[in-house]
Amino acid sequence: MSRSMVLIVTWSLLLAACTATTGDSTVPQETTSTILSTTTSIPATTTTTDAQEPPSTTTLATTTTPAPTTTTTVAPRTVTEHPNLPGALSGDLVDWNAVGPRWTLALYEARDASMLTAAPTVLYLVDPDGTRYEVASWPMGGPYAIADWAGTGDTALLLRADARAAIVDLRTGVETGTVPLPTDYYGSPPIAFTSPTGKNLVVLTDDGVTQRVERRNRSGARLAVLGEQSTPDDMRNGLEWLYGFDGTFALIKTASGIELVGNDGTFVRDLWIPMGRTCTPVRWWSADSFLASCLGDGPAFGHDFYSQLWILETDGTAGDTLTMIPPGPVQVVDFGFVDAWRLPSQTIVQWTGDCGAAEVRELATDGSTTPLGGTSSHRFVEADASGMTILAWQSCDGSEGRLYRADPSGNEVLELVPRVGDAWGVRDAAT
């Protein structure tokens, strides 16, 4: 499996992290340690308070630096100039109280595809009307992907080439810390924020003997071990996770299945997955169900990397298929469906293939799909009833990237971040 394909599959699994939040009301910490007994169902309602992401009472005592408030004074910043960069406003002009759904982070590479000439990398924050704000920049050698975006909207995790993730304060454009990451992993980025606000981090560690999924504070202190196993020979069996929407629990994918655990690592239950498949949680589908991307062996799949989407249940009961396995032989360049988004009038799914191929498709009730959008490779970043935010690229390596807004039929209605000159263009996007 090529590295470029792994990256395309990886970023197709990104969660929609930036959501509007409410105030910091106080919730007794005891509710976190008791909310997930083996007889308790997942709560159907959620609140967005940091009190729902407390450290375990049996782990290290730590101090977490509070996130900047909306009244923080930010010094004026200049906008990076380069012939391969699109126009943008300074990041100090962002109204942080307005940042929420349909706002997008876009990581833009000004170097051309040969990557031989030094040029800046810029992180843009784009509002729903297409106004771009430069919130961070690197003169050369910047990050190559967005791992996650905190629910508060003002902090991002960016992957760097030195096997570290940078924590970036979007209000100031400053890297406030870095986190070491495994050099070899499969699937989703090995680091993310906790839900719903991003108060803490979830980090994959692997010393070649043992893999762990750890919850840490932003200073790096370990608060809990959410999952642990021996390092697998086949990295498809590596640990991955989906953090609970209210911050009180997590789903942990292991070599043997999917576990539901409390946010202190307490085991709650094993979840049902289809027989003969390796399933990875992708995103929440409802309060009690989640979308999973499932690989399998044997003639039904055709090859080891074809993905079928399922809707699985947090109570451990059997789930249902969302996408079908094509009849007849499955071509080895067809990697199947890795993501989906349910809208009031349609369900869209993300297809991927070899050499960076990707399509956004509409799923019919009979299981058939219809491609949406243009002829380039494209994946949806966000979707709602009015349409989709789509990242499109032309080349196998993901270069010549741009970001646009499309209507429900996939027709472009607004270019959010264009590719300028011979730039690589938009490398990654998150919302």
Side-chain angles (χ1 to χ4, degrees), residues 383-407:
D384 58 28
S386 66
M388 298 161 278
T389 301
I390 291 179
L391 172 59
W393 61 94
Q394 294 290 340
S395 299
C396 185
D397 58 8
S399 61
E400 302 181 61
R402 67 189 191 93
L403 192 71
Y404 67 89
R405 185 74 183 173
D407 65 19

Side-chain angles (χ1 to χ4, degrees), residues 110-353:
R111 288 186 293 180
D112 62 21
S114 70
M115 308 294 277
L116 297 177
T117 304
T121 299
V122 178
L123 185 65
Y124 294 113
L125 178 61
V126 189
D127 74 13
D129 296 323
T131 302
R132 292 179 292 274
Y133 301 89
E134 181 180 318
V135 290
S137 65
W138 297 261
M140 58 183 296
Y144 67 88
I146 302 170
D148 204 3
W149 187 6
T152 52
D154 59 4
T155 314
L157 285 169
L158 304 181
L159 300 184
R160 306 192 326 187
D162 61 355
R164 302 182 74 85
I167 305 172
V168 180
D169 183 342
L170 303 181
R171 295 174 183 264
T172 63
V174 174
E175 292 188 9
T176 59
T178 62
V179 182
L181 301 175
T183 57
D184 188 17
Y185 62 91
Y186 176 89
S188 304
I191 187 169
F193 289 111
T194 54
S195 297
T197 65
K199 176 182 179 181
N200 297 317
L201 302 174
V202 185
V203 183
L204 175 68
T205 67
D206 191 340
D207 60 6
V209 177
T210 304
Q211 279 189 337
R212 293 186 180 89
V213 174
E214 300 177 351
R215 183 165 65 88
R216 301 180 184 178
N217 65 16
R218 292 194 186 183
S219 298
R222 188 171 74 187
L223 305 176
V225 176
L226 303 180
E228 182 175 354
Q229 68 176 16
S230 298
T231 299
D233 294 332
D234 184 348
M235 292 307 296
R236 294 190 310 159
N237 294 321
L239 294 175
E240 297 187 58
W241 68 88
L242 176 62
Y243 209 79
F245 46 81
D246 67 350
T248 63
F249 66 101
L251 307 180
I252 305 296
K253 172 248 181 180
T254 70
S256 58
I258 299 177
E259 301 175 352
L260 192 152
V261 302
N263 70 355
D264 62 354
T266 302
F267 173 81
V268 178
R269 66 177 70 93
D270 289 315
L271 303 185
W272 181 93
I273 62 172
M275 184 177 296
R277 291 165 172 83
T278 299
C279 295
T280 300
V282 177
R283 70 170 70 248
W284 290 103
W285 203 248
S286 71
D288 300 305
S289 63
F290 60 96
L291 179 72
S293 171
C294 298
L295 304 176
D297 299 321
F301 281 78
H303 60 81
D304 293 348
F305 296 106
Y306 185 87
S307 171
Q308 182 187 25
L309 294 178
W310 283 71
I311 306 300
L312 303 183
E313 305 296 327
T314 57
D315 64 2
T317 57
D320 296 310
T321 57
L322 183 67
T323 60
M324 302 296 107
I325 300 173
V330 178
Q331 295 184 357
V332 71
V333 296
D334 183 354
F335 296 150
F337 297 95
V338 297
D339 201 353
W341 205 304
R342 181 174 57 178
L343 303 175
S345 61
Q346 66 184 147
T347 297
I348 58 173
V349 291
Q350 182 70 58
W351 174 85
T352 62

Side-chain angles (χ1 to χ4, degrees), residues 28-99:
Q29 292 197 2
E30 288 78 12
T31 60
T32 299
S33 60
T34 60
I35 197 168
L36 287 177
S37 69
T38 55
T39 59
T40 303
S41 62
I42 306 302
T45 58
T46 65
T47 56
T48 51
T49 62
D50 283 348
Q52 289 184 298
E53 300 171 38
S56 168
T57 56
T58 60
T59 55
L60 301 176
T62 58
T63 301
T64 301
T65 302
T69 65
T70 54
T71 57
T72 300
T73 300
V74 178
R77 288 181 276 162
T78 59
V79 175
T80 304
E81 295 185 0
H82 190 278
N84 282 354
L85 290 176
L89 300 177
S90 172
D92 55 86
L93 299 177
V94 174
D95 178 3
W96 291 101
N97 292 316
V99 176

